[in-house]
Amino acid sequence: MMARKGKLAKLAAAMLLCASLLIPGAAGAAAASGSVAAAGCGTGVHGLSLLAMKDTGSPRMQAVQFLSGTVGRAAGNGFMVGTSDGGCHWQAIYNTGKLSFSQMEFLTNSVGYVLAKTSAEKQNTLLKTTNGGKTYTWVPTGQYGFDRIDFINEQTGFGFTRAFTFKTTNGGKTWTKMATPPNSRYVHFITESKGWDITVLPAGGYIVKRTVDGGLHWTDSLKVNADVNIGGAIYGTDSADVWVLLYGGSGMSQTSYSLYHTTDAGAHWKQVVSKPTAGGGPAPGPAVPAGKLPGPAGRPSDMAVIGSKAAFLVAGSGALDKLQFGRSLDDGRTWSNLAGGPSGNEGKLSFVSETTGYLAVTGFSDSGVYKTADGGKTWKNVFLLPESN
């Protein structure tokens, strides 16, 4: 999940005031769970019977978002669950089997936007909730189904497709298509005016571009050669401190990739990871000696950035039994890969500090939520769907 340092600080304070409102209409439930906690934390699915959408198979996790170290939500193909005690106990927030959630963007404990499908074959729908996720209202987006959303506040936000970027300043009542460079594949706005873009070159390779005027003008910041340019992702909470993930080729359950980082708004870039593979070929960027810039094995599926200090990357593949992790705790000066994590081949991250974070293991097996209190060195299961699911 992407988060902003200032937003997290405000949300953490807000959560201390309204932790008991995780599920609106059930005030006191969280307080009651405190007395239960004395008898021990729940395990497994915590006694919940979760409903999946009929055309998506059994229930599985697909998204996770924590607003503080204790208050957060996880959602999947028909349900949303929440905790107010760091995963010790969970409650069903939404459990009708009619919405398949792919992203949650809660701005407060009550107000949030989500992307969800009403069937496996349809495009994403944008929805808004004002009661913590119990019920939703439809937010029109025209003919486009967004792949991602990113809201700065309740009124101002961005919606992204693979090729286009849209902006709203009135809570989604209307959307304006923004000017982005041709062949854009990923755009990330950190403020209303400052944003970054990954552009693929027809002849091969990538160009990372930057805007400081809301997309009216874009300037080249980083050019990377690549034999295969299928896209990437941009992460960061500070417009001058950005991480750019670029994918190479894939094959034999392997994916090649590179990770770049800047601390000075693109004046200088550092290649932090170069991960070539036998099946995917060379990693984007200059060739480096084998093992010199190692990254987690597998295909990266998510990254979490905390301010201008910590960054965490999760990767996996069908050929690996466990998810793989890498991190930097000093703003990219050094990078380390950690021991294998929970079982699974794909995950979504939500870190609230450089030590405390949550992982949703997504997919058809090993689906669940895990917590780390030591920056990803070790993970403890806090919600696990039955293996039969």
Side-chain angles (χ1 to χ4, degrees), residues 80-253:
M80 180 183 294
V81 296
T83 179
S84 57
D85 59 8
C88 195
H89 300 90
W90 294 80
Q91 301 165 358
I93 299 174
Y94 176 93
N95 194 22
T96 72
K98 295 182 179 180
L99 289 175
S100 182
F101 299 93
S102 61
Q103 185 185 350
M104 298 180 289
E105 181 88 352
F106 277 86
L107 303 170
T108 70
N109 204 33
S110 298
V111 178
Y113 294 89
V114 302
L115 287 179
K117 292 183 178 182
T118 56
S119 79
E121 301 301 321
K122 292 184 179 180
Q123 64 184 14
N124 278 330
T125 297
L126 178 61
L127 303 168
K128 182 181 180 180
T129 179
T130 57
N131 57 14
K134 187 176 180 180
T135 60
Y136 297 91
T137 57
W138 174 62
V139 180
T141 59
Q143 63 179 307
Y144 296 99
F146 295 153
D147 298 323
R148 296 180 290 118
I149 53 172
D150 192 8
F151 277 79
I152 295 175
N153 53 54
E154 189 174 353
Q155 297 301 314
T156 303
F158 299 90
F160 306 96
T161 68
R162 178 172 172 79
F164 304 120
T165 298
F166 299 85
K167 180 182 179 182
T168 182
T169 57
N170 54 17
K173 293 178 181 178
T174 58
W175 294 87
T176 301
K177 186 177 179 181
M178 301 186 68
T180 54
N183 298 316
S184 292
R185 290 296 179 267
Y186 197 101
V187 176
H188 177 40
F189 273 88
I190 298 173
T191 70
E192 281 196 70
S193 58
K194 295 180 180 180
W196 295 85
D197 167 273
I198 296 174
T199 295
V200 297
L201 298 174
Y206 297 97
I207 293 183
V208 178
K209 298 174 179 283
R210 182 177 186 241
T211 181
V212 295
D213 56 12
L216 295 178
H217 303 88
W218 295 85
T219 57
D220 294 352
S221 181
L222 172 69
K223 184 176 181 179
V224 178
N225 295 325
D227 293 341
V228 179
N229 54 0
I230 62 172
I234 304 169
Y235 301 91
T237 61
D238 183 316
S239 60
D241 197 293
V242 174
W243 298 79
V244 176
L245 175 67
L246 300 175
Y247 287 112
S250 296
M252 300 188 298
S253 296

Side-chain angles (χ1 to χ4, degrees), residues 249 254-258 271 273-284 286-295:
Q254 300 174 334
T255 297
S256 301
Y257 68 94
S258 291
Q271 188 173 12
V273 171
S274 176
K275 185 68 175 178
T277 62
V288 300
K292 182 179 180 181
L293 299 176

Side-chain angles (χ1 to χ4, degrees), residues 307-379:
S308 298
K309 187 172 185 180
F312 304 87
L313 183 68
V314 59
S317 78
L320 299 172
D321 293 330
K322 293 181 179 295
L323 291 171
Q324 309 294 309
F325 292 89
R327 72 178 187 184
S328 174
L329 299 179
D330 54 12
D331 202 24
R333 287 187 287 276
T334 61
W335 181 269
S336 60
N337 295 320
L338 308 177
S343 297
N345 55 43
E346 187 175 81
K348 298 290 183 67
L349 295 172
S350 181
F351 271 77
V352 296
S353 73
E354 61 186 271
T355 57
T356 302
Y358 292 84
L359 161 74
V361 177
T362 60
F364 292 96
S365 63
D366 303 309
S367 191
V369 180
Y370 291 77
K371 179 181 180 179
T372 182
D374 54 16
K377 286 184 178 180
T378 59
W379 294 88

Side-chain angles (χ1 to χ4, degrees), residues 287-310:
V288 300
K292 182 179 180 181
L293 299 176
R299 187 182 192 276
S301 57
D302 200 13
M303 192 169 186
V305 176
I306 301 298
S308 298
K309 187 172 185 180

